[in-house]
Amino acid sequence: MRQTFPALSKGQVPMLLWLLLLILELAPKAFIRLTPPWSTNFKGKTVTLTCEDSHSPAQGGISWYYDDILLKKKSGKLQIRNSGYYKCKTPGSSLSDPVHVEFLSDWLILQASLPVFEGDDVYLRCQGWKEEDITKKIYYKDGEKFAVTYDSGFIRLNSASTNNSKYHCTTYVEGLFGMWKESSKALRIQVQELFPPPVLTASPSQPIEGSPVTLKCETWLPPQKSDTQLQFCFFSGDQALGSDWRSSSELQIPAIWSEDSRSYWCQAKTVTHSVMKRSLKSQIHVHRVPVSDVNLEIQPPGGKLIEGDNLVLTCSVARGTGTITFSWHREGTIRILGRKTQRSLSAEFQIPTVKESDAGRYYCAADNIHGPILSTLITVTVRIPVSRPVLTIRAPRAQAVVGDVVELRCEAWRGSPPILYQFYHEDATLGSSSAPSGRAASFDLSLTADHSGNYSCEADNGLGAQHSDRVTLNVTVPVSRPVLTLNPAGTQPVVGDVLELRCEAQRGSPPILYWFYHDNVTLGKSLAPFGGGASFNLSLMAQPSGNYSCGADNGLGIQCSEVVMLNFTDQKYFLLELKYGSLHLVPSRSKITPVTVGVILGLLSILGLAATAALVCKFRTQKKSGGISATGTASPNDCQEPFLSRSFGTETQESTHFEPPALMELQPVYSNVNPGDRDLVYTLVGSIQHTKEHLVNPGDRDLVYTLVGSIQHTKEHLANSPRLHWKHKGPTVIYSEVKKTHPDDSAGQASCRGWAHEDATESYENVPSTSLALYH
């Protein structure tokens, strides 16, 4: 089967030939190296030529040319002695640049280093036939002196170029007949091309609009200059593309458009800027593709939006190049919502913060000069989230009380139905209620004491929950029945004490006002601002006995405590001490309760009968012996009145501000009992009435009578009565014998007189006792 090829136009044939020649020219060139490296030599000298390529010095198959004549020599090296142009070629390279080597018979020659490339430094040496006869050398460029040397060295020319300048040198020679001037032959420096002019290529050569294109600026360096760094720059018309000079010989154009159809070219240069070359211009034609398959997409997907969201409409085309104009429309409206012209296959249009009125059907259109193409219609819906709800609490009275039923009403003014309402007390959920048509919902709550605190509600229609502000509800709890307690508890209060009355209600919202009563008479009040109990201090004065109670009130009705009944006594306990002729009344530090006294009196009553007879006989014996003075003589009739003790439960009528009696000295009217025994101490337990009389005791001062009991205050004065009256109820006398007693014992006196320093009871031992009545 024969294969046919498309015919080429006349304009395409020269282009292909040019590209073929370009490919051949861009093949790596061989190069010639000289040893010694001078272009000019004296006649008779030998120069060795070496042919090399980019790979290595050639080993075989080398072609040598002398003045364009092919030599038979095929080795890599060639020794020459004749002037002329030499070239070589290896199997893997193209023909090298010609090298001109000259052999002269002149007395003075100018030598230039080979090879020399564009931008290289050139070394010149002025050489004489007899170098020892030369003292000064002068160098000229195009007839102008530019350097002078006084030795056989060389000079350096910076950045050689192919400008065809002529160089020569002169010198003065000393001989037998004097000095003469010698001049060298003019020399043109052989400068080889560092790199050929670059060639610009485009890939693809005929791009489609919108597609990427790669531009290449191609050139090459000789092998001996492969380490030379080059920079490249690309141009479209007269405008540089991309950044300025770059080390890469390629430029990537992401997308090229129909208006980019024009000529392109590039430049290449060395980093030192010594050599710069530009390419020929290359024409690039860009093809345009019409738009097709226009599509509209919506974000968020599905077209279901919430009021306040951003609506993004994306219009795209499946194919189409160049500049495309996109437009957006809503069905039923003539006004274009938006329009964009850009070089892309898609464009976006945004409607920020959509409203309920933005709902509808949308479409878009695309055009790149060939006419607009429309997309299909897409429906957009807009839902409204709930607004922040408002919680209101409706109570049957101004102040909510335990047992009331309050209505919690939660209402959101905006929001697409249905709306679900949740009700909260602090962080605990009370319940929920749904509003199918939106607006408000209610929740009824029966109040207890635990329902005080912060209330809130939440509204949610699936588009995000909203919380209301907190509303504080204070549920007032009526006070419970208070309890009245006394402090100190468990002791028998007496006149003069300070009694604490404490009233406390276990339940009740603060503040609570407490009232204190004594027999329905208000004693005072006390406020408990934070709840709990309150106290009232009562200083016990006259008539403190009776019924005590308290009341508690927090504005919801007063509650009264149970009645507490109290019986107060005015009993004070003292020691009555008779020593050294004086009777001392000393307050006791301890209280003898009526129970204690009753027990003692019960025990004493058993022994009373036996003790009475013995004591009466002892008193008569003392009277007959003259132990009692005439002034203090007691009448026999006085024995008829017994010594009685008052009850410890006697109620007082005196002031509550009672001061303990001071130490009193009473003069006894009796002579000492049993004056013969000075080591006995008798103790009487009972009651004694205060008088202002002094008891005279002219008898034995070594006997001590001590009375432990209670004293009742009276205002009567027992004037002219030398006796002390004792009221007796049962056995009241206890006789005790002194453990150790001495008349001159000062410590014992202090112990008896000052009750606060020592307990007097520690000095006695109990002895059998009987009932006794004392008479004058």
Side-chain angles (χ1 to χ4, degrees):
M1 178 179 181
R2 297 181 60 186
Q3 184 176 4
T4 59
F5 297 94
L8 299 177
S9 64
K10 293 183 178 180
Q12 291 176 326
V13 173
M15 177 65 69
L16 292 176
L17 293 177
W18 178 82
L19 289 176
L20 180 60
L21 294 176
L22 180 63
I23 293 172
L24 294 176
E25 287 185 5
L26 291 179
K29 287 183 179 182
F31 61 92
I32 298 174
R33 192 181 301 276
L34 283 73
T35 306
W38 302 110
S39 62
T40 305
N41 297 274
F42 285 107
K43 189 82 172 174
K45 299 290 184 178
T46 301
V47 175
T48 301
L49 304 181
T50 303
C51 186
E52 298 180 2
D53 56 19
S54 59
H55 300 288
S56 63
Q59 299 298 326
I62 305 301
S63 301
W64 288 99
Y65 294 88
Y66 172 63
D67 290 339
D68 294 332
I69 298 174
L70 179 63
L71 301 178
K72 294 182 180 180
K73 184 73 173 178
K74 297 297 182 180
S75 64
K77 292 185 178 182
L78 178 67
Q79 291 184 344
I80 61 172
R81 292 185 179 183
N82 297 322
S83 299
Y85 289 91
Y86 293 87
K87 295 187 290 185
C88 75
K89 181 182 179 300
T90 66
S93 67
S94 59
L95 194 63
S96 70
D97 291 331
V99 174
H100 182 262
V101 181
E102 193 170 9
F103 294 91
L104 300 176
S105 57
D106 296 342
W107 197 94
L108 186 68
I109 62 175
L110 179 62
Q111 296 176 315
S113 61
L114 287 178
V116 177
F117 292 94
E118 295 172 306
D120 285 353
D121 294 338
V122 182
Y123 295 94
L124 299 179
R125 186 172 70 169
C126 190
Q127 190 75 17
W129 180 256
K130 291 185 178 180
E131 191 68 21
E132 62 273 11
D133 296 336
I134 299 175
T135 59
K136 181 180 179 180
K137 300 173 182 178
I138 303 172
Y139 293 86
Y140 296 89
K141 176 182 179 180
D142 293 332
E144 294 183 3
K145 183 176 67 175
F146 69 92
V148 177
T149 63
Y150 296 91
D151 55 19
S152 60
F154 52 83
I155 65 173
R156 184 173 67 181
L157 299 179
N158 296 326
S159 186
S161 62
T162 57
N163 53 10
N164 292 324
S165 296
K166 293 182 179 181
Y167 296 85
H168 75 281
C169 67
T170 62
T171 186
Y172 289 90
V173 182
E174 294 183 0
L176 297 176
F177 304 101
M179 298 183 62
W180 71 91
K181 180 180 179 182
E182 290 286 348
S183 296
S184 70
K185 183 180 178 180
L187 173 69
R188 292 180 185 273
I189 299 176
Q190 300 179 45
V191 179
Q192 297 184 46
E193 188 178 52
L194 180 62
F195 58 89
V199 175
L200 179 69
T201 60
S203 179
S205 58
Q206 294 182 349
I208 297 175
E209 190 176 29
S211 63
V213 173
T214 301
L215 301 180
K216 291 184 179 181
C217 190
E218 296 179 304
T219 187
W220 62 275
L221 290 168
Q224 60 269 43
K225 287 293 184 180
S226 60
D227 57 345
T228 302
Q229 294 183 357
L230 298 180
Q231 290 183 329
F232 304 89
C233 187
F234 298 85
F235 298 88
S236 173
D238 295 330
Q239 183 179 1
L241 299 177
S243 59
D244 203 0
W245 293 94
R246 63 181 66 200
S247 59
S248 175
S249 62
E250 294 186 1
L251 174 66
Q252 181 77 29
I253 299 176
I256 194 168
W257 311 104
S258 60
E259 54 267 29
D260 296 329
S261 298
R262 61 172 69 94
S263 61
Y264 293 81
W265 56 280
C266 68
Q267 277 186 332
K269 70 173 183 176
T270 60
V271 176
T272 59
H273 305 278
S274 58
V275 181
M276 179 183 298
K277 296 180 182 181
R278 61 176 291 176
S279 70
L280 298 175
K281 291 185 178 180
S282 177
Q283 187 70 26
I284 298 178
H285 180 72
V286 182
H287 298 275
R288 169 165 289 184
V289 177
V291 298
S292 61
D293 297 334
V294 180
N295 182 49
L296 177 64
E297 294 181 355
I298 292 180
Q299 292 293 335
K304 295 181 179 180
L305 287 88
I306 301 173
E307 186 181 41
D309 286 350
N310 294 333
L311 173 62
V312 180
L313 305 173
T314 303
C315 190
S316 62
V317 296
R319 299 182 71 253
T321 61
T323 301
I324 302 176
T325 300
F326 298 91
S327 59
W328 291 266
H329 311 265
R330 187 170 68 226
E331 186 182 36
T333 60
I334 301 176
R335 181 177 63 89
I336 297 177
L337 300 178
R339 176 177 298 178
K340 285 185 179 181
T341 300
Q342 57 191 42
R343 294 170 180 167
S344 66
L345 297 178
S346 64
E348 288 185 355
F349 176 74
Q350 182 173 341
I351 301 177
T353 316
V354 297
K355 303 179 292 295
E356 192 174 7
S357 58
D358 292 325
R361 299 206 299 174
Y362 291 80
Y363 66 94
C364 71
D367 183 15
N368 64 347
I369 303 175
H370 297 283
I373 306 297
L374 303 182
S375 70
T376 58
L377 293 170
I378 293 182
T379 302
V380 174
T381 60
V382 179
R383 296 190 64 202
I384 303 173
V386 292
S387 61
R388 191 172 188 179
V390 176
L391 176 66
T392 56
I393 300 178
R394 298 177 181 177
R397 66 186 84 190
Q399 179 62 51
V401 181
V402 171
D404 288 349
V405 177
V406 297
E407 178 190 6
L408 306 180
R409 181 178 176 81
C410 192
E411 183 173 7
W413 293 100
R414 299 183 72 249
S416 300
I419 302 175
L420 178 64
Y421 291 94
Q422 297 274 355
F423 297 87
Y424 300 92
H425 174 218
E426 302 297 350
D427 295 328
T429 302
L430 295 175
S432 61
S433 181
S434 179
S437 59
R439 300 299 292 180
S442 298
F443 181 81
D444 292 336
L445 178 63
S446 180
L447 298 180
T448 65
D450 297 330
H451 282 150
S452 291
N454 296 321
Y455 288 81
S456 62
C457 68
E458 177 185 272
D460 188 7
N461 64 348
L463 303 178
Q466 292 289 332
H467 293 266
S468 70
D469 291 331
R470 291 178 176 268
V471 178
T472 301
L473 176 64
N474 293 320
V475 179
T476 303
V477 180
V479 293
S480 60
R481 189 172 189 180
V483 177
L484 178 64
T485 57
L486 305 180
N487 189 25
T491 61
Q492 181 66 37
V494 296
V495 173
D497 286 351
V498 176
L499 185 65
E500 179 189 8
L501 306 181
R502 179 164 184 81
C503 190
E504 182 172 4
Q506 297 298 323
R507 291 187 303 103
S509 300
I512 302 175
L513 182 62
Y514 289 95
W515 297 85
F516 297 88
Y517 306 98
H518 175 219
D519 291 337
N520 297 326
V521 176
T522 302
L523 296 176
K525 59 184 178 180
S526 180
L527 180 66
F530 305 106
S535 298
F536 180 80
N537 293 328
L538 176 64
S539 182
L540 301 181
M541 297 182 180
Q543 298 297 339
S545 300
N547 297 328
Y548 288 81
S549 63
C550 67
D553 188 10
N554 65 347
L556 299 178
I558 189 169
Q559 293 288 334
C560 296
S561 71
E562 295 181 355
V563 174
V564 177
M565 300 180 63
L566 295 179
N567 291 323
F568 295 89
T569 67
D570 60 350
Q571 291 177 345
K572 295 291 183 176
Y573 301 96
F574 302 88
L575 294 179
L576 184 62
E577 185 175 82
L578 181 62
K579 190 173 183 181
Y580 306 124
S582 299
L583 187 61
H584 301 275
L585 186 62
V586 183
S588 174
R589 290 180 299 176
S590 61
K591 299 179 181 180
I592 302 176
T593 63
V595 176
T596 304
V597 174
V599 172
I600 294 173
L601 296 181
L603 294 175
L604 293 178
S605 62
I606 299 174
L607 304 176
L609 294 178
T612 300
L615 290 178
V616 170
C617 294
K618 192 171 186 178
F619 282 136
R620 290 180 179 176
T621 303
Q622 289 179 349
K623 183 176 180 182
K624 290 179 180 181
S625 62
I628 302 177
S629 63
T631 307
T633 302
S635 167
N637 297 328
D638 293 335
C639 294
Q640 298 176 359
E641 185 177 19
F643 180 89
L644 299 177
S645 173
R646 292 182 54 86
S647 170
F648 288 97
T650 305
E651 296 181 2
T652 183
Q653 301 296 327
E654 63 182 6
S655 171
T656 58
H657 299 283
F658 175 75
E659 297 296 336
L663 183 62
M664 300 178 60
E665 290 191 2
L666 304 179
Q667 298 298 326
V669 296
Y670 309 105
S671 62
N672 289 329
V673 178
N674 193 11
D677 191 350
R678 303 173 61 88
D679 295 330
L680 293 179
V681 177
Y682 295 93
T683 302
L684 176 64
V685 180
S687 302
I688 186 170
Q689 291 182 341
H690 284 285
T691 67
K692 294 185 180 180
E693 298 295 327
H694 298 283
L695 302 179
V696 180
N697 184 17
D700 192 350
R701 303 176 60 88
D702 293 333
L703 291 179
V704 177
Y705 291 89
T706 303
L707 172 64
V708 180
S710 59
I711 302 175
Q712 185 172 11
H713 295 280
T714 64
K715 295 183 179 180
E716 295 92 356
H717 300 281
L718 301 178
N720 300 322
S721 175
R723 56 189 176 185
L724 202 61
H725 297 277
W726 306 90
K727 295 183 179 180
H728 176 64
K729 293 183 180 180
T732 59
V733 180
I734 298 176
Y735 291 92
S736 299
E737 182 178 359
V738 179
K739 297 177 181 178
K740 293 181 180 179
T741 178
H742 300 281
D744 56 349
D745 189 357
S746 60
Q749 294 178 10
S751 175
C752 295
R753 296 178 183 177
W755 178 260
H757 298 289
E758 184 178 356
D759 193 346
T761 59
E762 296 178 357
S763 301
Y764 308 108
E765 292 180 354
N766 293 331
V767 297
S769 60
T770 58
S771 298
L772 174 67
L774 296 179
Y775 296 89
H776 176 59

